[in-house]
Amino acid sequence: MLANFRSHNRLLIAILFIALVLRLGYALAQDHDAPYTKRGGDTVWYLQNGYTLVTGDDPTGRHLMERLPTAPLYLIFIGASQAIFSPDATAIIVIRIVQALLSTATVYFAYRIARQISGKEGIGLLTAAILAISPVLILETAQILTETLYVFWIMAGLMVYMDAVDSSLLAMHGEGPGVRFLFRWLALTGILFGLATLTRAVLLLFPLGLAIHLVLARGWRTGLKHAAILLVAYSLVVSTWTVYNLARWNRLVIGAEGMASFIYVGSRGWDAPQEVDQNLSEDLGVEDDDTEAIKNPDDYLTAAQNVIADDPTGYIAHRVKELADAYLQPHGTVILGGESLKNLARDWSKDDRSPGGLIDLMRSEHFWPKLALYVFHFGGLLLAVAGMWLTRAQWRFTLPLIGFIAYTTLLHLVMLALPRYIFPIYPVVWILAAVALGMMWQRIQQRPVAT
């Protein structure tokens, strides 16, 4: 048994090493000056505002810190890197190396969660192996965007929470760790999800779902006590940004103000910033010149209400279509660039259908990496659905994972939905998918052999 444990340990280390090498290899091969030289986009915005938030130096002179719409943690991370190494390629290299380490740690967290749910080391290792070579996780490491850090906190929080729930359930039978240990684990869960919320404020209400889960899993009295510990720790972390904004700018911010704008853009549809400003003016009935003055959460929400009231049916259809499109387009294909593989395949099936046309399709730019993204994306989604069904008897363990998928989906049914915003569920999807693969393989092995 000890030899088996050592064998699994060595295999896990090998998987994590491969994950790190792949991420570093891709990230360090990129142009590290490009994030500063390309025009527009979220990357430039994050770099500029992160540097200003950390150093106080505002080269644009626009005083954006006074109405910063996002959560601060990723800005602090990349701002500190630029402050230490100066805003140039060196800072980008450091950011990408750290993100490679964070993504590798995410693989480990997924391994632990899968092993916890299934009770099988092999399924944990399978999950780690799939995520280690997953193209989208490798590609995301090099992006100067919030996703890698946000997913790291989410997976760390879920791993600790699963351990806490497992300890709590065992404690019902006198088998668990001490009460102090359990309370510390729940508090750590709240801290980790608080850090995730300070990275992307969309997670703001998810801990309430975990509180409900604790009540369902442990009963009213014990469940409420455990939920209170988690929520207090979570609130203390999230409130740090609220206190800072009150003291520095005299404005009340819980999580981030930008969520209201995403609800509005979700009602109208995504456009360039100038078009969004123009649409906002129209929907509020003010002059275009007044757009800067009206940019606050209440005005965004009022504009969204006006859009919905004008055409409720159209709004619902638009939201369902946008969410479906976000699920049907694997995240990462846009990062690779080139012509859309989906469009090329549709054109071939409609207008060509010849072997030569298929060969030309396969020779298109980034065909094989994009095909891999599609296979991992849809394979994970389909198998995850099977995993949800096969593990229904273990709902106390799987409900937090399913709940995170449902929470993200429902949130972006209301807010702007893009493949990038759906991406954080990806490691959770593959945990459930790997569990399904393991259970299906076990049933195949147990099937009687015909004689």
Side-chain angles (χ1 to χ4, degrees):
M1 186 172 180
L2 181 60
N4 196 33
F5 173 76
R6 288 174 176 171
S7 174
H8 287 155
N9 248 11
R10 287 194 294 268
L11 186 54
L12 175 62
I13 292 171
I15 290 171
L16 295 177
F17 178 75
I18 291 170
L20 181 60
V21 168
L22 290 174
R23 284 151 177 75
L24 287 174
Y26 175 76
L28 297 180
Q30 304 307 301
D31 181 355
H32 305 301
D33 291 312
Y36 289 110
T37 57
K38 70 178 183 179
R39 296 181 179 179
D42 289 347
T43 293
V44 174
W45 189 92
Y46 278 121
L47 288 169
Q48 291 177 346
N49 287 276
Y51 183 74
T52 299
L53 180 62
V54 171
T55 65
D57 183 12
D58 185 9
T60 66
R62 298 170 62 189
H63 304 288
L64 292 177
M65 295 301 103
E66 298 178 23
R67 55 181 189 276
L68 191 66
T70 64
L73 200 54
Y74 190 70
L75 294 176
I76 293 172
F77 164 51
I78 61 175
S81 299
Q82 294 177 94
I84 295 170
F85 299 100
S86 78
D88 60 19
T90 304
I92 301 300
I93 291 171
V94 171
I95 292 168
R96 286 171 168 166
I97 290 173
V98 173
Q99 290 188 166
L101 293 169
L102 295 177
S103 183
T104 303
T106 295
V107 173
Y108 173 75
F109 299 151
Y111 151 80
R112 284 280 306 276
I113 296 170
R115 189 184 66 177
Q116 183 81 287
I117 292 173
S118 65
K120 297 183 183 301
E121 184 76 22
I123 292 179
L125 292 171
L126 175 63
T127 305
I130 291 170
L131 294 181
I133 63 171
S134 175
V136 68
L137 289 174
I138 296 169
L139 291 172
E140 193 58 44
T141 299
Q143 309 310 305
I144 312 300
L145 296 169
T146 59
E147 274 65 36
T148 297
L149 182 60
Y150 177 63
V151 170
F152 168 82
W153 294 126
I154 289 292
M155 296 303 292
L158 286 173
M159 180 193 72
V160 173
Y161 181 74
M162 299 298 287
D163 282 345
V165 171
D166 185 39
S167 300
S168 177
L169 293 173
L170 289 175
M172 294 173 65
H173 303 95
E175 302 173 23
V179 173
R180 290 182 181 177
F181 177 83
L182 175 59
F183 286 1
R184 289 171 186 170
W185 231 231
L186 290 167
L188 179 57
T189 300
I191 292 170
L192 291 170
F193 282 120
L195 293 171
T197 303
L198 291 181
T199 304
R200 279 178 60 174
V202 291
L203 194 71
L204 189 62
L205 299 178
F206 180 67
L208 293 177
L210 295 181
I212 294 172
H213 175 252
L214 284 169
V215 171
L216 292 174
R218 292 291 287 117
W220 280 100
R221 181 175 297 179
T222 305
L224 284 174
K225 184 192 300 182
H226 292 175
I229 295 169
L230 189 156
L231 292 176
V232 167
Y234 174 76
S235 300
L236 288 174
V237 173
V238 174
S239 67
T240 56
W241 183 233
T242 304
V243 171
Y244 172 83
N245 276 276
L246 283 171
R248 185 73 176 85
W249 308 114
N250 194 30
R251 67 169 187 165
L252 179 62
V253 176
I254 301 175
E257 286 188 345
M259 294 177 68
S261 65
F262 277 89
I263 293 173
Y264 169 69
V265 173
S267 68
R268 256 286 197 170
W270 175 248
D271 284 306
Q274 295 79 7
E275 280 74 16
V276 172
D277 290 345
Q278 183 178 350
N279 292 337
L280 181 61
S281 299
E282 293 175 1
D283 295 328
L284 289 173
V286 301
E287 297 294 331
D288 291 348
D289 295 340
D290 296 333
T291 304
E292 286 298 326
I294 63 176
K295 280 186 177 179
N296 63 68
D298 290 339
D299 289 321
Y300 278 118
L301 293 176
T302 300
Q305 290 172 0
N306 293 339
V307 172
I308 296 169
D310 286 344
D311 185 8
T313 305
Y315 167 77
I316 294 172
H318 168 66
R319 295 306 319 136
V320 172
K321 181 181 183 303
E322 187 178 89
L323 181 64
D325 289 342
Y327 265 100
L328 294 173
Q329 178 69 45
H331 176 57
T333 52
V334 176
I335 297 173
L336 292 173
E339 196 169 353
S340 168
L341 181 61
K342 184 168 56 178
N343 292 342
L344 290 172
R346 184 179 62 240
D347 293 343
W348 175 80
S349 65
K350 289 174 59 178
D351 305 327
D352 193 339
R353 299 187 184 179
S354 68
L358 181 59
I359 292 173
D360 290 338
L361 171 62
M362 295 168 63
R363 289 174 177 169
S364 63
E365 187 178 10
H366 302 304
F367 172 81
W368 293 108
K370 286 183 178 181
L371 181 62
L373 287 170
Y374 273 90
V375 170
F376 274 80
H377 178 76
F378 287 107
L381 289 176
L382 293 173
L383 286 168
V385 173
M388 293 176 193
W389 174 253
L390 292 173
T391 59
R392 61 192 182 279
Q394 301 163 262
W395 65 270
R396 285 184 174 86
F397 289 126
T398 59
L399 192 57
L401 305 183
I402 298 171
F404 178 65
I405 295 173
Y407 174 83
T408 303
T409 302
L410 292 174
L411 193 70
H412 290 287
L413 184 60
V414 178
M415 298 172 61
L416 176 66
L418 298 173
R420 174 187 160 196
Y421 300 149
I422 302 299
F423 164 70
I425 71 171
Y426 183 84
V428 175
V429 163
W430 265 111
I431 290 171
L432 295 169
V435 172
L437 284 172
M439 295 181 72
M440 288 188 287
W441 176 248
Q442 184 178 15
R443 292 185 181 186
I444 290 172
Q445 287 183 314
Q446 293 173 349
R447 187 177 299 171
V449 179
T451 58

